[in-house]
């Protein structure tokens, strides 16, 4: 499975060979893990990489309900979907963005930004739709008080846990992509900053059991960023398309106001008045003044 056209061959294990063939190498690792499912001796180990771990089945009025909590085995699952993210990144780059780039004839600086916005546009679109679906099906939008009631929310539904694991995998994969995509040195600090901020905030929401509030905040952020990257893509195709930036600016203000309102209600009002105050690592309770 070749993702990039081989115009020139490079020595094995050289820097250019790794950059040109990184997606194929990672694809081979994914196939190796999937083959492990076929054999009884390795199936249990392979499952650690593919399926979220730490499931708990309880009985309720609706029947058996399976929930999940987090642990160190999540690192294996994140690693697998880290590989998947690299492969999907290469697919989008090779079969979509590179073809558009060849038609637009952009400069190197614009080409870098076009690729960045193209990749993030796809990711933000998928993540915003996915997070909105979770918010609807879990009932968080219809019952906003559920965002802070009964904290800590240490038991997650499958779709919530899987969403967070894939989010962490995506933003982790963005770090080596700075090298694989040969991002210009002057662009690296800016991209590195927002990648680390996404990793920090997503990890905090997941590990501090603030996953419900985190879902809403990520949804608002992704919708806002989706508008920005669509506007920037349209601007690169035709510099007269600047009205989309005005629409994005309006949505940016709205999402920031919604974010501030939500944080005041959930953290400043809901968690501050919760009965579960104090630090309890066993229960997963991090509801302290300092952490809030």
């Amino acid at each position: 499975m070749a993702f990039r056209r081989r115009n020139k061959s490079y020595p094995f294990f050289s820097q250019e060979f790794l950059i040109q063939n990184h997606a194929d190498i990672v694809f081979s690792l994914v196939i190796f893990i999937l083959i492990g499912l076929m054999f009884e001796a390795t199936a249990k180990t392979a499952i650690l990489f593919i399926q979220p771990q730490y499931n708990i089945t309880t009985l309720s009025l609706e029947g058996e309900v399976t929930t999940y909590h987090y642990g160190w085995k999540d690192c294996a699952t994140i690693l697998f979907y880290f590989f998947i993210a690299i492969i999907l990144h290469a697919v989008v780059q090779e079969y979509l963005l590179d073809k558009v780039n060849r038609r637009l004839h952009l400069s190197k600086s614009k080409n870098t930004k076009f690729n960045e916005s193209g990749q993030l546009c796809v990711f933000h679109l998928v993540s915003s739709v996915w997070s909105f679906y979770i918010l609807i099906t879990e009932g968080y939008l219809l019952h906003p008080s559920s965002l802070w009631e009964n904290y800590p929310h240490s038991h997650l539904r499958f779709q919530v846990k899987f969403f967070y694991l894939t989010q962490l995998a995506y933003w982790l994969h963005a770090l080596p992509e700075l090298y694989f995509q040969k991002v210009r040195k002057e662009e690296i600090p800016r991209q590195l900053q927002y990648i680390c901020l996404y990793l920090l905030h997503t990890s905090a929401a997941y590990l501090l059991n603030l996953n419900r509030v985190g879902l809403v905040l990520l949804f608002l952020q992704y919708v806002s960023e989706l508008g920005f990257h669509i506007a920037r893509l349209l601007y690169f195709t035709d510099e007269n398309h600047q009205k989309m930036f005005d629409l994005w600016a309006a949505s940016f203000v709205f999402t920031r106001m919604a974010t501030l309102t939500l944080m005041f209600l959930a953290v400043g009002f809901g968690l501050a008045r919760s009965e579960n105050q104090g630090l309890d690592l066993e229960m997963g309770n991090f509801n302290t003044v300092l952490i809030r």
Side-chain angles (χ1 to χ4, degrees):
M1 183 175 181
F3 291 102
R4 293 187 180 275
R5 297 176 180 176
R6 273 56 171 173
N7 296 324
K8 183 180 178 181
S9 60
Y10 297 96
F12 283 102
F13 306 114
S14 66
Q15 180 178 341
E16 290 298 328
F17 177 85
L18 179 61
I19 292 175
Q20 191 180 56
N21 298 278
H22 72 276
D24 293 329
I25 296 171
V26 169
F27 183 76
S28 300
L29 292 175
V30 170
I31 294 299
F32 179 76
I33 293 173
L34 293 176
I35 290 176
L37 294 173
M38 302 171 60
F39 304 98
E40 185 177 355
T42 57
K44 291 183 178 180
T45 303
I47 284 292
L48 290 177
F49 291 91
I50 301 171
Q51 181 177 311
Q53 302 299 306
Y54 302 105
N55 57 308
I56 302 172
T57 302
T58 57
L59 294 176
S60 66
L61 297 177
E62 302 174 355
E64 290 188 351
V65 177
T66 301
T67 56
Y68 296 79
H69 58 93
Y70 63 77
W72 67 269
K73 293 180 181 179
D74 290 342
C75 295
T77 310
I78 291 173
L79 178 63
F80 179 79
Y81 291 99
F82 167 88
F83 293 153
I84 297 296
I86 290 178
I87 295 171
L88 294 178
H89 187 116
V91 170
V92 172
Q93 187 67 43
E94 173 69 19
Y95 296 103
L96 179 61
L97 298 179
D98 285 350
K99 291 182 178 180
V100 177
N101 277 328
R102 285 192 287 270
R103 294 184 178 182
L104 295 178
H105 304 290
L106 299 173
S107 63
K108 287 186 177 180
S109 59
K110 287 186 177 181
N111 183 52
T112 300
K113 294 179 180 179
F114 182 87
N115 289 335
E116 177 193 5
S117 288
Q119 293 287 349
L120 290 176
C121 192
V122 173
F123 171 73
H124 289 320
L125 176 61
V126 173
S127 295
S128 58
V129 172
W130 189 5
S131 57
F132 182 72
Y133 173 80
I134 295 175
L135 292 173
I136 292 296
T137 55
E138 295 294 330
Y140 299 153
L141 289 184
L142 297 179
H143 304 91
S145 59
S146 64
L147 297 177
W148 59 82
E149 287 181 347
N150 300 320
Y151 178 84
H153 307 132
S154 55
H155 291 171
L156 312 178
R157 299 277 186 155
F158 173 83
Q159 61 179 353
V160 178
K161 174 161 183 172
F162 189 60
F163 175 82
Y164 272 99
L165 294 180
T166 53
Q167 292 296 306
L168 292 171
Y170 179 87
W171 291 114
L172 283 172
H173 113 281
L175 294 173
E177 285 295 345
L178 296 175
Y179 169 75
F180 294 142
Q181 298 300 322
K182 296 183 179 179
V183 176
R184 299 176 63 179
K185 290 183 179 180
E186 56 269 26
E187 287 288 325
I188 290 179
R190 179 185 61 82
Q191 294 192 32
L192 194 61
Q193 181 183 38
Y194 72 72
I195 291 171
C196 292
L197 285 173
Y198 272 115
L199 280 172
L200 175 64
H201 287 82
T202 306
S203 300
Y206 184 63
L207 297 176
L208 299 179
N209 292 319
L210 294 169
N211 43 77
R212 298 182 183 182
V213 177
L215 265 174
V216 181
L217 294 178
L218 285 174
F219 168 72
L220 293 171
Q221 175 68 10
Y222 288 156
V223 169
S224 176
E225 289 298 297
L226 176 62
F228 170 75
H229 290 292
I230 290 176
R232 194 158 74 159
L233 287 174
L234 292 176
Y235 175 77
F236 287 137
T237 58
D238 186 352
E239 294 186 357
N240 294 321
H241 289 158
Q242 297 187 12
K243 292 184 178 180
M244 279 297 296
F245 284 108
D246 297 332
L247 294 176
W248 166 74
S251 68
F252 178 84
V253 173
F254 171 77
T255 53
R256 288 304 179 270
M257 292 297 295
T259 297
L260 290 173
T261 303
L262 173 64
M263 291 305 295
F264 175 77
L265 288 175
V267 179
F269 175 78
L271 292 178
R273 297 192 176 187
S274 174
E275 295 181 357
N276 294 330
Q277 298 285 335
L279 182 64
D280 189 342
L281 297 179
E282 291 186 3
M283 294 295 296
N285 186 6
F286 301 92
N287 189 11
T288 67
V289 176
L290 179 62
I291 294 178
R292 287 202 303 272

